[in-house]
Amino acid sequence: MKFDPADLLAVLPALWLVLGGCALALSEVFLGANPKRAYQPWLAAAFALLSLGTAARLAPESAHAIFGGAATADGFSAFIAVIVAGATALSALSAGGALREAGAERGEFYALVLFAAAGMDFLAMAADLVVLFIALEAMSLALYALAAYRRRARNAEAALKYFVLGSFSSAIFLMGAALCSGAAGSTRLADLANVPAGGSGAGLLLLLGAALLLVGLAFKVAAVPFHMWAPDVYEGSPTPVAGFMAAAVKAASFAALLRALLIAFGHAHGAAGPSMWEPIVATLAGATMLLGNVLALPQRSVKRMLAYSSIAHAGYLLVGVAAAGLGDAPTATGAVLLYLATYAAAVIGAFAVIGLVERGGDGAGADDLDRFSGLAQRHPGLAAAMAAFMLSLAGVPPTAGFIAKLYVFRAAMAAPLTGLAVLGVLTSVAGAYYYLRIIVYMYMRTPDGETAPIARHATAGVAIAAALLIVVAVGVGPESLAKFAIASAALASP
Amino acid sequence: MMLVATIFLPLVGALFLLAIPGDAKALHRGVSLLTSLVTLGLAVALWTNFDGAQAGFQNEVQATWAPSLGISFHLGIDGVSLLLIALTAFLGPIVVASTFHAIDTRVKEFSIALLVLETAMLGTFAALDLVLFYVFWEAMLIPMYILIGVFGSERRIYATVKFFLFTFAGSVLMLLAILFLYGKLPEGSRSFDYGALLTLSLSHEEQLWLFAAFALAFAIKVPMFPLHTWLPDAHTEAPAAGSVLLAGVMLKMGTYGFFRLAMPLFPEAALAAQPLIAGLAVTGIVYGALMCMAQSDVKRLIAYSSISHLGFVMLGLAVLTPEAVTGAVYQMLNHGVSTGLLFLVIGMLYERRHTRAMDAYGGIAKVTPGLAAVFFIATLASVGLPGTNGFVGEFLVLSGTFLGKAALAQAWSVIAAIGVILGAVYMLTLYQKVFLGKLSAVNEKLRDLSLREWAVTLPLCIAIVWMGLLPGPFLDLMKKPVQSMTERVVGKPAAPERPHFPGALPPKLQPPRLPWMNHVPSMLEGVKK
């Protein structure tokens, strides 16, 4: 395999992240004695923004195979890199104040976030099962460490659970990859598409391998019935990490899922390969929307509630994936991309607010609904931002979440997946109930006793304001982002 | 552009309020009153520039919004939209001014919610793009949710969540139906534009499903029996201002939706569903009236009376004769004015005594004659006494139904007429229990209307009488839109048949014809008999 230096240009977004990670890790060595680490979140965000800027400039038409075909740099991967970089910047900023208050502000934290993000960039580009697996692990290993970052009992439990179940899913994925490459004699996704379908030995092997690959990725996106880890991990992880997981991990994993399914296993309108996965994904989508929304209803811990909500959102995204398998793939893929972007902004914003609100207390109950009581009286700006995030997650216009749902359901109706779309909108009504409940607490209840004061942090404030701007601006003027998403939707087929 | 200014001015006012600190209550009140007054002025200007003789939409504005999805920012008004916009803008300053005393905490949030709500409501009546319509439609929910949930009485949270979920659940299926319509347009020219979607030819079965999805959203909002259960809670728990807007404008969203979207887009289905809608409408009329008789809570009674009154509107729309539809639209305006006034006055009573129980009052006409007089006028309008606006609307609906060709038309109008009688019973009973009879000691000190309260109630009283005596200009505005709607659904009527009633009065002995009677061609003689 010949190394072409021009390939580095295509992975520049990821390189910025790696560079930033190195810089922050080294800053501890050289500047570790300096007790003021306030520059760290800003530095991490700066590197993430560099990555974002580079990714946004990688034009969609520049799609080409890199590293001898092991990865693809196309608009799709660039768009995911934009989401990942944006999520990284916002998460780093929202983590800043919280970590300092807990006396846990270290360069390692930001380094881990940036390394995980670099893994995600590669995950979105991977066109080879081995690259896919390595990127998946690069992302996951950093996240396991992040989940355990604060070394308290809850963190450790969450991290261990995440690690054990994550490794389990990685093993399943690896098994699937082995079977697939056995069937095709190659680890390239594109080569899998050439395996003859049907009853032949290779076809059966591929079928089994594809099923295992799907299970492995379904774990990562927390689709029902592979969702059990999510609530515990979200609840136990440091709050900014939970937001990062919900936004960025979801974006990267869905990118891998879409690319693997569409390139390796074909879709209804592509001639190549078996297209048997659409009904399976549709079933997963239905179950995920239903269970995620229903299980979110009784939660009192807001982080846990958002964990179930993130499962539910995985369901809506899977509707888009299923629509890509049945109907017009670029339209549906564009809808999924738009959905990932708007969901990332809203969910990171929400976790940033939780990070501020839960601060006074610690341990169990720190993120109980009660802590939001009367927030609108004490901190009207914070409450208004949280309300906007909740409405966006619920898909109420005029927020970004509504626009995203509109695109996804349009793709589903066109596919046609009418039944799934009906189930989707009906479960979103259940969703509205629990999102509204936070607004009820913030605006319509008064706190029972003393309320812990909420510290003001410039970093978290910037993160929340930026997320709010995205949620409102995309809701009011969706065209530019929507156009970007649609232009990025075409997967480069090698 | 004037239309855009009318719709978005309240929103601009709300954004301005965001920048004002929360403790400057007077400033918040002043700005919101000023904004709503200017909005009213703009609406009046819209009216004066409107040409009622012209069919189709006027003041159209079309701009791209999200072309990649085919959503455009398309606004425009016909006579019916104009009237409803005028109603909304008319109630705006009244509602704002009515709360100067009642709302004393969190004035900032209250004023912002009120102004945002006004923009959303005005926009809904003017939207000619279905997604834009949906956006305005849903955007209404949030401020109303805040108004009820923050400023309502004891069970406000239950009521507001129920309100939100009912309406949201109804409308999400409408969204899918809208998306389906979009997909039916030929590729390349796909859009959500109302005019484009009207050209679609849909199969009978498609129409039925799509009509069902739209009708569910609208029927919940109206609300039609048996989807009404959110309404008594929401109305009862809402602050007076919220109730006025909820009853005065928001319920009309549902009937307007039937008039503008559900029926013209799916004419076959509208005809097929006629017996069902009319049946539910008359059920609602009688059920609402009977429920009113069982209430001891003043506000709850008025809430149930809304169900009964909106039943008339739905009956008129379902029957699809021009007279009945005209009456239905007129009744939408009437209900906005008269029920709005009733809720205002009840709000004033509540401010004085802090109870909504009917037993707590009695005989208070002796100490508050002004309040009693205003309430009486609203009662008469609600009952539909000739000379008030309620009479014109109910009469047109009933006669239009009676002489319509719909199956069982006569039976429906008879049942609806029973509803009118029941209406008189419960409204007069209410008046009697609250204002007449023995005055108890606690009520001796009640104040009468203040100058500000006169200022907010008097315009509504004038509107009631005006619309009752001179309905002509209003009916003229409805003529074209009603005509195009009914023609689209039932087709052009054959040459008007003038039924001959043996023994009809010779022409010169006939009573003089008032302007609005022209809308009841010839059947007047028959009904007079």
Side-chain angles (χ1 to χ4, degrees):
Chain A
M1 190 171 83
K2 203 168 74 61
F3 175 73
D4 181 2
D7 289 350
L8 287 181
L9 202 64
V11 295
L12 200 54
L15 291 183
W16 279 122
L17 295 171
V18 174
L19 204 62
C22 294
L24 277 152
L26 287 176
S27 76
E28 279 301 313
V29 180
F30 296 109
L31 301 169
N34 183 357
K36 285 211 168 98
R37 293 188 170 90
Y39 66 90
Q40 285 178 342
W42 296 109
L43 190 63
F47 275 105
L49 288 179
L50 272 175
S51 162
L52 191 152
T54 328
R57 291 177 67 91
L58 292 175
E61 59 267 26
S62 76
H64 60 288
I66 51 172
F67 302 131
T72 317
D74 51 12
F76 180 77
S77 67
F79 194 90
I80 295 290
V82 168
I83 299 177
V84 168
T88 308
L90 293 182
S91 303
L93 288 178
S94 66
L99 291 179
R100 192 170 332 132
E101 240 170 44
E105 187 158 54
R106 296 280 185 280
E108 295 96 280
F109 179 87
Y110 303 104
L112 284 169
V113 169
L114 290 164
F115 287 143
M120 294 172 192
D121 279 3
F122 283 111
L123 194 55
M125 287 190 281
D128 186 291
L129 287 171
V130 177
V131 177
L132 196 58
F133 181 72
I134 293 174
L136 204 59
E137 286 303 286
M139 170 183 91
S140 302
L141 284 175
L143 285 171
Y144 300 146
L146 280 174
Y149 183 70
R150 285 178 64 188
R151 266 185 271 161
R152 286 171 313 181
R154 279 169 78 217
N155 290 162
E157 187 194 331
L160 189 68
K161 199 171 253 171
Y162 193 27
F163 177 67
V164 170
L165 286 173
S167 313
F168 186 59
S169 74
S170 294
I172 292 176
F173 180 90
L174 202 57
M175 187 68 206
L179 293 180
C180 284
S181 58
S186 157
T187 54
R188 293 279 192 269
L189 290 179
D191 290 339
L192 299 188
N194 299 329
V195 175
S200 71
L204 277 177
L205 210 55
L206 187 75
L207 205 64
L208 195 58
L212 291 178
L213 284 183
L214 188 62
V215 171
L217 288 172
F219 251 109
K220 292 291 170 197
V221 304
V224 172
F226 312 107
H227 65 283
M228 288 82 83
W229 59 273
D232 293 340
V233 172
Y234 280 41
E235 195 188 10
S237 299
T239 307
V241 175
F244 183 63
M245 283 179 189
V249 176
K250 187 150 280 156
S253 310
F254 264 101
L257 184 67
L258 266 171
R259 199 185 288 277
L261 289 178
L262 287 174
I263 298 291
F265 306 111
H267 62 94
H269 295 280
S275 60
M276 70 294 185
W277 53 269
E278 180 275 320
I280 302 173
V281 173
T283 314
L284 284 180
T288 310
M289 291 188 296
L290 199 61
L291 213 66
N293 277 314
V294 169
L295 290 180
L297 289 174
Q299 306 303 328
R300 281 202 65 84
S301 152
V302 178
K303 277 165 81 174
R304 220 177 156 76
M305 189 272 282
L306 282 181
Y308 281 109
S309 123
S310 101
I311 295 171
H313 283 280
Y316 298 119
L317 286 158
L318 283 171
V319 172
V321 176
L326 189 63
D328 181 28
T331 315
T333 311
V336 170
L337 287 179
L338 185 65
Y339 200 108
L340 285 170
T342 59
Y343 174 71
V347 81
I348 291 190
F351 273 110
V353 176
I354 297 172
L356 289 178
V357 171
E358 73 178 352
R359 208 159 277 175
D362 213 347
D367 61 336
D368 190 86
L369 272 172
D370 275 333
R371 296 189 67 92
F372 284 84
S373 296
L375 191 68
Q377 302 277 64
R378 291 175 284 146
H379 299 277
L382 204 58
M386 187 67 171
F389 298 142
M390 289 301 120
L391 292 172
S392 183
L393 291 176
V396 178
T399 57
F402 166 70
I403 299 290
K405 279 217 169 69
L406 192 65
Y407 275 75
V408 165
F409 286 130
R410 178 183 66 147
M413 291 297 284
L417 287 165
T418 314
L420 207 54
V422 170
L423 183 65
V425 294
L426 290 182
T427 53
S428 78
V429 177
Y433 176 78
Y434 57 81
Y435 296 124
L436 284 184
R437 199 157 56 159
I438 294 192
I439 303 184
V440 166
Y441 272 81
M442 290 191 303
Y443 280 85
M444 302 169 196
R445 283 179 189 254
T446 42
D448 286 336
E450 288 273 302
T451 49
I454 292 175
R456 289 171 192 277
H457 289 288
T459 50
V462 169
I464 292 169
L468 180 65
L469 186 70
I470 297 171
V471 162
V472 175
V474 175
V476 175
E479 183 57 14
S480 50
L481 186 66
K483 230 162 87 184
F484 185 23
I486 290 167
S488 309
L491 285 172
S493 45
Chain B
M1 278 327 279
M2 194 147 58
L3 183 59
V4 177
T6 315
I7 292 171
F8 286 97
L9 186 70
L11 186 65
V12 173
L15 292 177
F16 184 65
L17 288 183
L18 268 181
I20 300 177
D23 42 10
K25 290 180 195 169
L27 196 55
H28 281 283
R29 289 172 180 150
V31 169
S32 48
L33 183 62
L34 187 69
T35 314
S36 53
L37 278 173
V38 177
T39 309
L40 175 59
L42 285 170
V44 170
L46 265 186
W47 191 328
T48 49
N49 290 334
F50 190 85
D51 178 11
Q54 196 185 322
F57 292 95
Q58 300 176 31
N59 290 73
E60 274 191 72
V61 179
Q62 187 153 24
T64 56
W65 184 23
S68 65
L69 188 57
I71 316 174
S72 69
F73 185 81
H74 189 183
L75 298 171
I77 49 173
D78 64 0
V80 171
S81 317
L82 174 71
L83 287 169
L84 289 165
I85 285 176
L87 172 71
T88 312
F90 177 57
L91 288 175
I94 291 175
V95 165
V96 171
S98 75
T99 59
F100 282 0
H101 191 68
I103 305 291
D104 202 45
T105 51
R106 305 170 81 173
V107 177
K108 178 175 181 173
E109 281 152 297
F110 185 82
S111 309
I112 291 175
L114 219 52
L115 291 176
V116 173
L117 181 62
E118 190 173 352
T119 285
M121 294 191 301
L122 291 169
T124 312
F125 288 131
L128 288 180
D129 181 283
L130 264 63
V131 170
L132 188 63
F133 174 85
Y134 186 83
V135 168
F136 280 126
W137 171 274
E138 295 276 88
M140 268 186 310
L141 293 184
I142 305 158
M144 187 47 98
Y145 174 74
I146 297 283
L147 282 182
I148 301 176
V150 176
F151 301 96
S153 37
E154 307 84 52
R155 290 170 68 240
R156 62 184 192 276
I157 293 178
Y158 167 77
T160 197
V161 171
K162 191 170 174 184
F163 157 76
F164 191 101
L165 290 182
F166 260 73
T167 334
F168 193 63
S171 50
V172 289
L173 288 175
M174 176 169 76
L175 182 66
L176 288 188
I178 293 174
L179 288 170
F180 181 86
L181 285 175
Y182 170 88
K184 291 299 279 186
L185 284 170
E187 196 140 7
S189 66
R190 286 193 179 150
S191 75
F192 293 101
D193 199 74
Y194 178 63
L197 294 176
L198 276 181
T199 62
L200 279 177
S201 57
L202 301 160
S203 76
H204 188 71
E205 200 193 349
E206 281 169 346
Q207 284 205 21
L208 285 182
W209 281 105
L210 295 168
F211 182 80
F214 274 78
L216 180 69
F218 298 144
I220 288 176
K221 200 80 159 191
V222 170
M224 286 178 76
F225 179 86
L227 301 168
H228 63 277
T229 59
W230 63 270
L231 181 124
D233 291 316
H235 271 183
T236 311
E237 302 302 323
S243 306
V244 174
L245 286 181
L246 201 56
V249 183
M250 232 186 216
L251 301 190
K252 276 90 224 175
M253 298 292 169
T255 47
Y256 176 78
F258 273 106
F259 177 85
R260 173 71 69 237
L261 299 177
M263 291 180 161
L265 282 173
F266 318 113
E268 281 180 37
L271 278 182
Q274 190 179 48
L276 179 67
I277 296 180
L280 290 177
V282 293
T283 313
I285 293 174
V286 175
Y287 170 84
L290 291 175
M291 288 303 282
C292 281
M293 295 183 175
Q295 301 306 318
S296 57
D297 179 319
V298 185
K299 241 178 149 182
R300 227 176 157 78
L301 189 152
I302 303 299
Y304 275 108
S305 84
S306 287
I307 297 172
S308 185
H309 285 149
L310 267 297
F312 278 99
V313 180
M314 284 315 299
L315 178 63
L317 288 177
V319 174
L320 285 165
T321 58
E323 295 78 28
V325 175
T326 307
V329 177
Y330 206 64
Q331 198 60 4
M332 281 155 74
L333 303 177
N334 295 338
H335 181 259
V337 173
S338 56
T339 308
L341 182 55
L342 283 171
F343 274 122
L344 265 185
V345 177
I346 288 168
M348 289 167 185
L349 276 177
Y350 186 80
E351 261 177 63
R352 288 164 168 72
R353 279 282 273 119
H354 293 285
T355 172
R356 300 184 307 252
M358 234 184 270
D359 317 337
Y361 300 96
I364 61 171
K366 294 187 190 90
V367 284
T368 60
L371 214 152
V374 170
F375 195 88
F376 195 60
I377 293 175
T379 303
L380 294 182
S382 181
V383 168
L385 192 83
T388 64
N389 54 359
F391 173 72
V392 183
E394 280 181 2
F395 181 82
L396 285 170
V397 169
L398 287 178
S399 60
T401 307
F402 190 82
L403 295 164
K405 293 199 193 64
L408 296 173
Q410 280 82 356
W412 286 332
S413 53
V414 169
I415 301 174
I418 294 173
V420 178
I421 299 168
L422 293 177
V425 175
Y426 65 74
M427 282 311 292
L428 293 174
T429 313
L430 170 67
Y431 185 80
Q432 184 201 350
K433 280 191 180 164
V434 173
F435 289 96
L436 307 178
K438 201 167 146 311
L439 181 69
S440 64
V442 278
N443 290 331
E444 273 169 12
K445 290 272 153 54
L446 288 185
R447 331 177 254 109
D448 203 0
L449 294 178
S450 68
L451 200 60
R452 179 181 57 83
E453 287 169 332
W454 273 116
V456 293
T457 50
L458 214 51
L460 288 167
C461 295
I462 294 171
I464 284 174
V465 180
W466 188 347
M467 292 173 69
L469 295 178
L470 296 168
F474 300 93
L475 297 177
D476 286 342
L477 279 175
M478 295 170 197
K479 202 168 173 182
K480 289 283 174 192
V482 167
Q483 191 187 348
S484 64
M485 192 282 251
T486 50
E487 276 176 13
R488 184 170 162 84
V489 181
V490 290
K492 270 202 200 316
E497 9 174 337
R498 300 180 67 88
H500 178 70
F501 292 96
L505 288 173
K508 62 180 158 192
L509 285 182
Q510 282 186 0
R513 292 176 72 87
L514 291 169
W516 55 269
M517 290 178 183
N518 295 330
H519 295 270
V520 203
S522 75
M523 83 261 303
L524 191 69
E525 297 92 337
V527 179
K528 282 267 153 151
K529 283 267 93 168

